């Protein structure tokens, strides 16, 4: 819907997407009216702040946006990672960005092509060779000489790629990083402040090749010795990565010791090498390091000068097909079959499929594969788009009874310069391309009876940021924002003296479109839609109220649907509204107050001041402070509108305080509802998994009593469940005890436990056990805390502790 309204074309629903129900007529009409008023054109609006990079960008496609809303920027010294947060505790209208970095390794990467002594002798021989074709090729090749010697050292990153959501120990994305000197590593951000290298795949792959005598299979004939320069080159090219891409999460079967099978999540990382081979690594989830590597298979692509690859994942009749799309620097593009061992429900092609075979010397440097739903064929299909020079090559893949149908063509006339970066919104198939001159094109696919066509429109970044040059773009997971790497453009026909690299953000959706997408979301997780919630947050903070149509639509959803997602959405809106009503502090909290100092001097006995003088000075200071608060905490328009009531405390302050108290009461009511719903879920797990509730690490009796204590709470499901659990407990209580004084911890508050001696412990919001250790976890927005799982915990408790925050859906660290 968003693409249709902003671009003027019919919508392209994603695979499995349903039509919007009729209950949101007012919201859909509001979004359509906003699009019509914009003349069916995309209105790009600048979003603050612009993040300045410390170093220049490096590599191709230097910008990538992960599914958990982190933007990675490849630079000459590190990978800068910008994490977008939709912070309900911040009253500022700017985007909330948390910044970290993955530093480049200090030592150069030397590929393992043989024993160290033999390699050193061969390098000396090739460097001093009398044949200039050998000596010059050796000296100038940065794969052989990453340290530089007479050349500058290879620093920085060539490419970075994000895994799907749910791969690290916290259920978030992993980052695969490829340095300029060909070191491929995988990193995780486990504590939010520091990135940890989990594994060095270049080192492991080099060891495997060394043990196999640099042969892919045992049947391969042995090649020449390392002293032969062609063999020296071959061994380097077969482990020089060009690109790497992650697959989606798939399920494998693991056989336990008692011969039972259990499903285990796994993810694949395909690495394209310079010699056209592809290594497919399989990792067990959660990925913890070298021990999580399940297998590594190498396949031959047969493409000369490979430049880029992408995963092709297609679902047909509840069966999943996979393959790898590989592009060449000479122009051809083809799909290679990938046989996945022990992966449930996957099948692959019988032979490679050529999508484009012309050797037209147009290099392919970016490929995106987008799953879509074909409205005429009534089935899922795949749209493959590739940037080739200044053109976009597209290919529509569709499986019918006749087999695999392939339609392809080119979109021309988009840019006058080559495309430097391409990104795609996988929810609706919209593709964005940019060239170096600051021009971005939006391409919207429109299905026809035969294949499809593209409607495209120009986004001039010069109208948003002024004169700029662009080096990379990336679209946010839900299509709300476009991140752009910019430097200064020409001014008065002159190039800038210095380049300042910045990551800037542009809105691609209106508030109405974002709200409609949140209400009709199939994901039903606020954390996974942070870019949409940030647009909604921005609107409420600016207007200081929740739009009426959004309130009505949300209330309808809550009445008609039992999902707690809409309650969490309502809580989010109320918290933002509460922040918008808060007045900014008039002074910096740490700054000493000079007025207070003067009063203290006048109050000293030596000054001889009377009580009347003291009271007068205090009242003057209070009135001055109140004027300062009201003046600094509001916009100019607000002070002009409220200038009359401010003269009276009764007329000006009390309505605002009453409004804040009313919102606070609503927030507490929604939080209590969400807490009760989660308590019911926890009690359901207790009832299913225990004969009696002893040693379950859950205060079952306390949770039951807490739910039953409110006479106004009448939930038949909860009462029946509690009756069954109390019958199973048979008058046994199993109370929690304070670890300091051994007194009983009563369950009177859902957030904390206070014993009779006054010791206070916070409660785990996932199990409601009191956290009596110094180490515990917090959710991303600091809403609540959770305890760490222990080895004694049964599987169902560990599964509960892996859940997200019950208030904001964010993961727990």
């Amino acid at each position: 819907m968003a693409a249709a309204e902003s671009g003027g074309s019919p919508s392209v629903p994603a695979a499995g997407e349903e039509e919007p129900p009729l209950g949101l007529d007012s919201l859909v009409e509001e979004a359509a009216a906003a699009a019509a008023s914009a003349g069916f054109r995309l209105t790009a609006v600048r979003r603050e702040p612009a993040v300045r990079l410390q170093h220049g960008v490096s590599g191709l496609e230097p910008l990538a946006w992960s599914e958990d809303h982190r933007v990675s920027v490849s630079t000459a010294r590190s990978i800068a990672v910008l994490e977008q947060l939709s912070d309900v505790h911040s009253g500022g209208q700017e985007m909330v960005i948390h910044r970290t970095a993955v530093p480049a390794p200090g030592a150069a990467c030397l590929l393992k092509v043989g024993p160290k002594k033999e390699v050193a002798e061969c390098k000396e021989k090739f460097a001093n060779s009398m044949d200039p074709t050998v000596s010059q090729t050796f000296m100038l090749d940065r794969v052989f000489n990453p340290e530089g010697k007479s050349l500058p050292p290879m620093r920085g990153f060539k490419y970075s790629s994000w895994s799907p959501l749910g791969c690290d120990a916290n259920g978030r994305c992993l980052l695969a990083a490829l340095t300029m000197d060909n070191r491929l590593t995988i990193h995780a951000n486990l504590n939010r402040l520091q990135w940890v290298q989990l594994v060095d795949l270049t080192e492991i792959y080099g060891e495997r090749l060394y043990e196999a005598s640099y042969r892919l299979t045992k049947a391969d004939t042995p090649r020449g010795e390392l002293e032969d320069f062609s063999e020296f080159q071959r061994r380097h090219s077969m482990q020089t990565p060009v690109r790497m891409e992650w697959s989606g999460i798939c399920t494998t079967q693991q056989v336990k010791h008692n011969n039972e099978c259990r499903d285990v999540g796994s993810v694949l990382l395909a690495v394209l090498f310079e010699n056209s081979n592809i290594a497919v690594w399989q990792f067990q989830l959660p990925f913890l390091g070298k021990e999580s590597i399940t297998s590594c298979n190498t396949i031959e692509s047969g493409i000369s000068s490979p430049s880029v690859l992408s995963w092709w994942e297609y679902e047909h009749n509840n069966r999943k097909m996979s393959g790898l799309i590989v592009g060449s620097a000479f122009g051809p593009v083809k799909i290679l079959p990938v046989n996945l061992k022990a992966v449930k429900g996957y099948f692959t092609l019988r032979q490679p499929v050529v999508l484009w075979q012309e050797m037209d010397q147009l290099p392919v440097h970016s490929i995106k594969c987008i799953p879509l739903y074909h409205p005429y064929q009534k089935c899922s299909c795949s749209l493959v788009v590739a940037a080739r020079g200044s053109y976009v090559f597209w290919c529509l893949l569709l499986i019918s009874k006749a087999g695999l149908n392939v339609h392809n063509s080119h979109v021309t006339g988009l840019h006058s310069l080559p495309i430097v970066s391409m990104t795609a919104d996988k929810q609706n198939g919209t593709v964005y391309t940019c060239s170096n001159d600051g021009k971005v094109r939006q391409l919207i696919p429109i299905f026809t009876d035969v294949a499809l066509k593209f409607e495209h429109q120009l986004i001039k970044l010069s109208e948003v940021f002024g004169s700029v040059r662009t080096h990379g773009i990336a679209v946010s997971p839900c299509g709300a924002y476009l991140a752009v790497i910019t430097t200064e453009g020409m001014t008065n026909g002159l190039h800038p003296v210095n380049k300042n690299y910045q990551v800037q953000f542009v809105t691609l959706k209106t508030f109405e479109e974002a709200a409609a997408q949140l209400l009709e979301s199939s994901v039903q997780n606020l954390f996974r839609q942070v870019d949409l919630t940030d647009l909604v947050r921005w609107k409420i903070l600016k207007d200081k109220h929740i739009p009426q149509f959004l309130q009505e639509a949300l209330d309808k959803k809550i009445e008609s649907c039992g999902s707690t997602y809409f309650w969490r959405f309502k809580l989010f809106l109320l918290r933002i509204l509460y922040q918008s009503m808060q007045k900014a502090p008039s002074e910096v909290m740490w700054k000493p107050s000079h007025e207070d100092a003067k009063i203290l001097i006048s109050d000293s006995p030596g000054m001889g001041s009377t009580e009347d003088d003291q009271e007068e000075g205090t009242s003057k200071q209070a009135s001055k402070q109140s004027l300062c608060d009201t003046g600094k905490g509001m916009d100019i328009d607000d002070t002009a509108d409220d200038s009359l009531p401010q003269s009276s405390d009764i007329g000006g302050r009390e309505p605002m305080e009453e409004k804040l108290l009313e919102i606070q009461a609503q927030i507490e009511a929604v939080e209590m509802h969400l807490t009760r719903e989660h308590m019911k879920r926890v009690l359901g797990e207790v009832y299913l998994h225990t004969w009696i509730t002893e040693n379950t690490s859950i205060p079952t009796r306390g949770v039951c009593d807490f739910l039953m204590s409110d006479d106004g709470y009448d939930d038949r499901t909860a009462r029946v469940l509690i009756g069954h659990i109390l019958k199973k407990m048979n008058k046994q209580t199993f109370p929690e005890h304070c670890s300091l004084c051994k007194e009983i911890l009563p369950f009177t508050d859902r957030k904390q436990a206070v014993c009779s001696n006054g010791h206070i412990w916070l409660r785990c919001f996932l199990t409601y056990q009191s956290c009596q250790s110094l180490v515990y976890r917090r959710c991303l927005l600091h809403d609540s805390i959770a305890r760490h799982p222990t080895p004694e915990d049964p599987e169902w408790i560990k599964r509960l502790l892996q859940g997200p925050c019950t208030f904001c859906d964010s993961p727990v660290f």
Side-chain angles (χ1 to χ4, degrees):
M1 185 184 71
E5 289 162 1
S6 58
S9 64
S11 63
V12 184
E17 186 177 335
E18 298 178 357
E19 295 296 322
L22 299 176
L24 299 174
D25 293 340
S26 60
L27 184 58
V28 174
E29 287 171 9
E30 187 88 18
S37 64
F40 292 101
R41 301 290 292 173
L42 175 68
T43 305
V45 180
R46 182 174 184 164
R47 187 78 168 96
E48 296 292 348
V51 181
R52 185 169 176 176
L53 300 173
Q54 295 175 333
H55 308 285
V57 298
S58 61
L60 294 171
E61 296 283 349
L63 202 59
W65 205 319
S66 72
E67 290 180 14
D68 60 353
H69 304 278
R70 291 185 283 189
V71 181
S72 63
V73 191
S74 302
T75 72
R77 291 293 182 270
S78 64
I79 295 180
V81 182
L82 314 175
E83 181 174 2
Q84 182 189 7
L85 300 175
S86 189
D87 195 353
V88 292
H89 308 297
S90 169
Q93 292 185 20
E94 292 187 342
M95 286 174 69
V96 181
I97 293 176
H98 180 253
R99 184 168 178 167
T100 50
V102 181
C109 175
L110 298 173
L111 301 178
K112 189 173 182 64
V113 292
K116 285 186 177 180
K117 185 178 179 182
E118 188 179 350
V119 170
E121 291 173 355
C122 289
K123 284 187 174 183
E124 185 73 20
K125 173 187 172 184
F126 298 142
N128 299 318
S129 173
M130 299 302 293
D131 186 353
T133 59
V134 174
S135 59
Q136 290 185 19
T137 302
F138 174 80
M139 294 301 292
L140 296 176
D141 196 314
R142 301 314 303 269
V143 178
F144 304 150
N145 299 295
E147 294 169 323
K149 305 280 173 135
S150 57
L151 301 171
M154 296 285 283
R155 294 294 301 271
F157 287 86
K158 189 188 297 185
Y159 189 66
S160 64
S161 178
W162 290 99
S163 77
L165 194 62
C167 290
D168 74 353
N170 291 321
R172 303 194 71 188
C173 299
L174 297 166
L175 181 63
L178 178 60
T179 61
M180 295 295 272
D181 58 0
N182 304 305
R183 188 195 303 271
L184 176 58
T185 51
I186 297 177
H187 302 260
N189 181 209
L190 300 177
N191 60 4
R192 292 202 64 231
L193 296 176
Q194 182 184 8
W195 286 87
V196 178
Q197 178 181 309
L198 298 179
V199 69
D200 185 339
L201 292 181
T202 298
E203 181 183 348
I204 296 172
Y205 194 68
E207 288 290 341
R208 291 190 175 209
L209 288 175
Y210 178 71
E211 292 169 4
S213 300
Y214 299 93
R215 293 182 293 175
L216 295 181
T217 61
K218 293 180 180 179
D220 282 356
T221 56
R223 303 295 178 98
E225 296 297 326
L226 190 61
E227 295 178 354
D228 185 2
F229 189 59
S230 61
E231 175 65 13
F232 187 81
Q233 286 178 310
R234 186 186 77 89
R235 292 188 185 183
H236 275 91
S237 68
M238 70 189 304
Q239 49 184 317
T240 304
V242 178
R243 288 283 180 96
M244 67 285 176
E245 294 294 341
W246 296 89
S247 74
I249 293 178
C250 48
T251 305
T252 57
Q253 282 193 336
Q254 188 181 61
V255 181
K256 297 166 73 174
H257 295 295
N258 57 358
N259 288 331
E260 287 184 3
C261 288
R262 72 183 184 106
D263 290 344
V264 177
S266 64
V267 70
L268 305 169
L269 179 68
V271 184
L272 178 64
F273 293 104
E274 205 174 66
N275 70 337
S276 81
N277 288 349
I278 301 173
V280 181
W281 297 85
Q282 186 172 8
F283 305 129
Q284 184 176 321
L285 300 181
F287 184 76
L288 303 174
K290 194 173 181 179
E291 63 275 13
S292 299
I293 299 174
T294 306
S295 64
C296 176
N297 299 312
T298 304
I299 57 179
E300 298 181 43
S301 70
I303 285 189
S304 56
S305 296
S307 57
V308 65
L309 87 161
S310 177
W311 279 95
W312 175 58
E313 294 174 323
Y314 183 90
E315 192 162 349
H316 176 67
N317 290 342
N318 295 324
R319 297 180 69 195
K320 294 179 180 179
M321 180 179 282
S322 66
L324 281 167
I325 310 167
V326 184
S328 166
F330 296 145
V333 181
K334 72 177 181 179
I335 302 180
L336 301 173
V338 178
N339 290 309
L340 304 180
K341 296 179 180 178
V343 178
K344 292 174 63 178
Y346 273 78
F347 64 109
T348 189
L349 301 166
R350 293 178 181 173
Q351 57 188 8
V353 176
V354 178
L355 304 182
W356 184 256
Q357 62 180 359
E358 299 295 329
M359 301 280 285
D360 48 18
Q361 305 301 315
L362 286 176
V364 184
H365 73 81
S366 182
I367 295 177
K368 304 294 178 188
C369 184
I370 309 162
L372 294 174
Y373 180 79
H374 202 299
Y376 297 105
Q377 302 291 336
K378 307 293 183 187
C379 64
S380 58
C381 59
S382 292
L383 175 62
V384 178
V385 286
R388 303 179 69 243
S390 57
Y391 311 121
V392 169
F393 166 76
W394 65 265
C395 181
L396 185 67
L397 301 167
L398 187 113
I399 294 179
S400 66
K401 293 180 180 178
L404 181 65
N405 298 325
V406 179
H407 301 274
N408 60 18
S409 184
H410 280 79
V411 185
T412 59
L414 296 175
H415 298 278
S416 56
L417 295 174
I419 295 170
V420 296
S421 185
M422 183 176 70
T423 184
D425 180 358
K426 293 192 175 182
Q427 293 202 338
N428 56 21
T430 306
V431 179
Y432 299 89
T433 61
C434 86
S435 56
N436 205 237
D437 55 3
K439 293 177 181 176
V440 176
R441 285 277 180 181
Q442 181 194 43
L443 287 81
I444 302 164
I446 302 168
F447 284 95
T448 62
D449 293 334
V450 180
L452 57 78
K453 63 180 182 178
F454 284 90
E455 271 199 6
H456 53 85
Q457 59 176 309
L458 180 65
I459 306 172
K460 288 186 178 179
L461 295 180
S462 58
E463 296 175 357
V464 184
F465 304 126
S467 177
V468 291
R469 296 174 69 87
T470 47
H471 304 272
I473 57 173
V475 69
S476 62
C478 297
Y481 289 114
L482 186 73
V484 191
I485 301 177
T486 64
T487 52
E488 295 87 345
M490 294 179 69
T491 53
N492 299 325
L494 298 173
H495 289 285
V497 178
N498 297 315
K499 279 187 179 180
N500 293 312
Y501 289 88
Q502 288 184 319
V503 179
Q504 308 208 57
F505 298 92
V506 173
T507 61
L508 298 175
K509 291 184 187 293
T510 62
F511 161 74
E512 290 79 14
E513 291 169 347
Q517 197 168 331
L518 284 166
L519 286 169
E520 294 304 317
S521 168
S522 59
V523 178
Q524 298 210 341
N525 185 295
L526 292 174
F527 170 71
R528 295 185 65 177
Q529 304 174 92
V530 161
D531 50 341
L532 296 174
T533 58
D534 186 72
L535 273 179
V536 174
R537 170 181 169 272
W538 187 24
K539 173 77 171 176
I540 295 173
L541 287 174
K542 280 197 298 184
D543 296 350
K544 300 189 187 321
H545 76 276
I546 303 171
Q548 187 66 28
F549 71 87
L550 178 56
Q551 280 187 335
E552 292 173 358
L554 187 55
D555 290 339
K556 280 185 184 178
K557 282 286 187 183
I558 288 174
E559 288 175 12
S560 61
C561 180
S563 172
T564 55
Y565 164 73
F566 298 107
W567 285 92
R568 291 194 295 274
F569 189 21
K570 183 177 182 178
L571 177 63
F572 169 78
L573 296 177
L574 289 171
R575 284 171 159 181
I576 299 302
L577 180 62
Y578 186 81
Q579 286 296 330
S580 70
M581 298 287 183
Q582 296 274 30
K583 291 178 180 176
S586 58
E587 291 185 356
V588 183
M589 300 303 287
W590 52 265
K591 211 172 184 179
S593 173
H594 299 292
E595 285 84 354
D596 289 348
K598 289 176 183 175
I599 291 169
L600 286 171
I601 292 170
S602 65
D603 287 348
S604 63
M607 299 300 292
S609 61
T610 63
E611 290 183 4
D612 295 338
D613 293 335
Q614 293 174 12
E615 288 177 6
E616 186 182 352
T618 309
S619 63
K620 280 181 182 178
Q621 186 205 3
S623 62
K624 184 178 178 182
Q625 184 70 24
S626 67
L627 283 172
C628 190
D629 286 346
T630 53
K632 288 190 178 181
M634 295 185 181
D635 296 335
I636 298 172
D637 295 339
D638 295 338
T639 51
D641 292 340
D642 299 339
S643 56
L644 287 175
Q646 278 178 15
S647 59
S648 167
D649 284 340
I650 299 172
R653 285 197 171 187
E654 285 188 0
M656 180 59 74
E657 289 178 2
E658 287 178 5
K659 182 72 174 174
L660 284 173
L661 289 173
E662 181 187 339
I663 297 170
Q664 202 165 3
Q666 292 179 24
I667 290 173
E668 289 174 2
V670 176
E671 285 185 353
M672 183 60 76
H673 175 84
L674 290 169
T675 301
R676 285 169 174 159
E677 289 299 311
H678 185 66
M679 281 180 172
K680 281 161 56 179
R681 185 191 163 203
V682 172
L683 291 178
E685 293 283 343
V686 169
Y687 182 71
L688 287 175
H689 292 96
T690 55
W691 288 105
I692 58 170
T693 53
E694 188 177 7
N695 299 326
T696 62
S697 305
I698 289 176
T700 309
R701 172 74 70 170
V703 173
C704 292
D705 293 344
F706 183 82
L707 281 177
M708 300 293 286
S709 61
D710 188 359
D711 297 332
Y713 178 62
D714 187 17
D715 188 329
R716 178 171 169 75
T717 307
R719 291 185 181 279
V720 171
L721 180 61
I722 288 169
H724 286 307
I725 288 177
L726 294 181
K727 194 180 293 182
K728 182 185 278 193
M729 289 182 71
N730 194 19
K731 297 182 181 180
Q732 299 178 40
T733 55
F734 308 120
E736 284 189 287
H737 293 275
C738 176
S739 61
L740 294 179
C741 61
K742 306 305 178 187
E743 289 292 323
I744 290 177
L745 289 172
F747 200 111
T748 54
D749 189 352
R750 58 193 170 90
K751 290 186 176 179
Q752 63 183 20
V754 185
C755 76
S756 57
N757 290 327
H759 300 131
I760 300 174
W761 307 101
L762 296 173
R763 289 200 178 276
C764 167
F765 73 100
L766 293 171
T767 63
Y768 297 105
Q769 185 189 18
S770 58
C771 295
Q772 299 190 46
S773 63
L774 295 175
V775 182
Y776 51 78
R777 302 178 298 152
R778 294 188 80 172
C779 79
L780 193 65
L781 298 184
H782 294 178
D783 262 342
S784 41
I785 70 160
R787 70 178 182 85
H788 284 277
T790 60
E792 301 82 37
D793 287 335
E795 285 298 321
W796 63 274
I797 292 249
K798 290 178 180 176
R799 192 169 61 250
L800 266 179
L801 289 169
Q802 288 173 355
C805 176
T806 54
F807 299 131
C808 62
D809 284 334
S810 64
V812 186
F813 293 89

